[in-house]
Amino acid sequence: MNNDVFKTRAIDFYLSKSCNKSCHYCTAWTLEMRNLTVDMDFLSKTLKWLSPYIVRIQLLGGEPGLIKNLDEVVDEIKKHKNLIPSILSNSFVRKRYPYMLDDPDVLYQEHLVLDFHEDRIEKLGNFDFFEENDKSNYNIIIMTPNYFKYRKNHDLSRVDHKNTQFKKFNSRSPNFIDMEQAPEFDRRMCAAFPKVPVIDFELQRIRHCSKKVINGSRRYAVTKENIDKMMNYELFMFEEYCKKCFEPIDKRPQEQILDIVSVGKVMQ
């Protein structure tokens, strides 16, 4: 699996909001252990409707490693040639389902760092960072203000390779400063297919935006019609909360969207 997989459209599957950690910047978690067995009928139906489209299915929550039938979920996704199983874990998957890291058809991304401090790295698990590898195992490192302070005084060259994804910090944390908003046109483009929409398995609903799970985003029934609309940029609209979004919006090729959505339609 090569890095081109990251160019596909992605959909978050919030399998459960249960988590064994309580990160202050997270958008969806509870320490209450609930909804830990995925409804396979609901999953199969949802995947069938998504299967005509090339999509990266991002399994998260909460913490996906807590899911009791995560292996069944991954196997079900792999039945569809257009669907790419991807797991985002705080390292609990490495502890409970270690064999998944050796599966070449599974993209495994690990958010191991809670934050950086002047003299140490505060981790969410007792593991080392991934070295460069061909197993599709990736470090996710959020470039918080403390990341830059730590990096200035400590050697972090061990994570400077193709299997580390550095991401800008966002405005969800109460400890992070607000960022300058993206131009409104870019936010309207994002609203047509937000990065990323969510299938909420607890509610069995489509959510407009993963960044508004706590405070609420538009919800839609999970039907073939709605999934087709979503994948063709016809389900979601520019919402009131989009106007205030401070999330960084990746510069995706606008031609790709404009081929499907006219500027006038997006700007409505």
Side-chain angles (χ1 to χ4, degrees), residues 26-258:
C26 187
T27 60
W29 61 272
T30 175
L31 292 175
E32 176 189 351
M33 295 293 106
R34 69 189 195 205
N35 202 53
L36 296 182
T37 301
V38 170
D39 181 335
M40 294 302 293
D41 289 336
F42 176 73
L43 173 70
S44 298
K45 180 173 58 179
T46 303
L47 295 175
K48 178 183 177 182
W49 294 333
L50 282 168
S51 63
Y53 308 97
I54 298 175
V55 186
R56 180 159 35 99
I57 305 295
Q58 303 192 135
L59 305 176
L60 61 157
E63 169 50 46
L66 294 170
I67 300 299
K68 297 177 181 178
N69 59 339
L70 184 63
D71 49 355
E72 292 182 68
V73 172
V74 171
D75 287 343
E76 193 68 24
I77 296 171
K78 288 165 64 176
K79 291 178 183 178
H80 303 274
K81 65 177 182 179
N82 283 340
L83 304 183
I84 303 161
S86 173
I87 301 173
L88 175 62
S89 173
N90 62 25
S91 78
F92 200 68
V93 164
R94 203 191 316 197
K95 180 178 180 180
R96 177 171 281 184
Y97 297 99
Y99 56 88
M100 289 192 180
L101 280 68
D102 294 321
D103 188 334
D105 295 321
V106 175
L107 176 64
Y108 179 73
Q109 299 171 282
E110 192 164 273
H111 179 64
L112 184 62
V113 177
L114 179 62
D115 205 351
F116 295 85
H117 301 274
E118 288 187 10
D119 59 342
R120 63 191 174 92
I121 301 174
E122 185 177 0
K123 293 183 177 180
L124 294 167
N126 298 317
F127 295 98
D128 291 328
F129 292 111
F130 288 118
E131 297 178 351
E132 186 168 341
N133 65 82
D134 295 318
K135 294 183 177 180
S136 299
N137 298 329
Y138 289 84
N139 306 303
I140 303 291
I141 293 182
I142 309 296
M143 295 186 293
T144 65
N146 285 335
Y147 160 81
F148 294 102
K149 294 177 183 177
Y150 181 90
R151 179 134 208 170
K152 184 177 180 180
N153 297 310
H154 301 273
D155 180 16
L156 268 180
S157 59
R158 65 189 184 279
V159 297
D160 292 334
H161 54 73
K162 70 179 181 67
N163 291 86
T164 299
Q165 294 180 314
F166 294 97
K167 296 192 173 183
K168 294 180 181 179
F169 71 89
N170 57 50
S171 60
R172 281 174 279 186
S173 166
N175 299 322
F176 294 160
I177 61 172
D178 286 341
M179 301 186 310
E180 183 179 351
Q181 286 184 279
E184 184 174 325
F185 181 79
D186 287 348
R187 282 180 279 134
R188 286 179 179 269
M189 280 292 192
C190 178
F193 192 91
K195 193 174 182 182
V196 285
V198 170
I199 305 291
D200 187 323
F201 275 67
E202 291 198 345
L203 298 178
Q204 296 198 354
R205 291 288 185 272
I206 299 171
R207 283 186 177 273
H208 174 222
C209 183
S210 65
K211 301 170 182 63
K212 293 296 294 181
V213 172
I214 286 180
N215 296 326
S217 65
R218 287 287 302 276
R219 305 173 189 173
Y220 308 82
V222 182
T223 64
K224 182 181 185 303
E225 180 185 10
N226 280 344
I227 285 180
D228 284 337
K229 284 183 176 180
M230 175 175 72
M231 301 308 295
N232 288 284
Y233 304 88
E234 296 174 353
L235 182 64
F236 304 130
M237 297 180 64
F238 188 70
E239 302 289 349
E240 189 67 27
Y241 47 77
C242 301
K243 299 177 183 178
K244 306 170 186 175
C245 185
F246 284 92
E247 293 289 336
I249 298 172
D250 289 349
K251 294 297 182 183
R252 289 168 287 173
Q254 291 195 348
E255 294 79 12
Q256 179 182 355
I257 297 179
L258 291 174

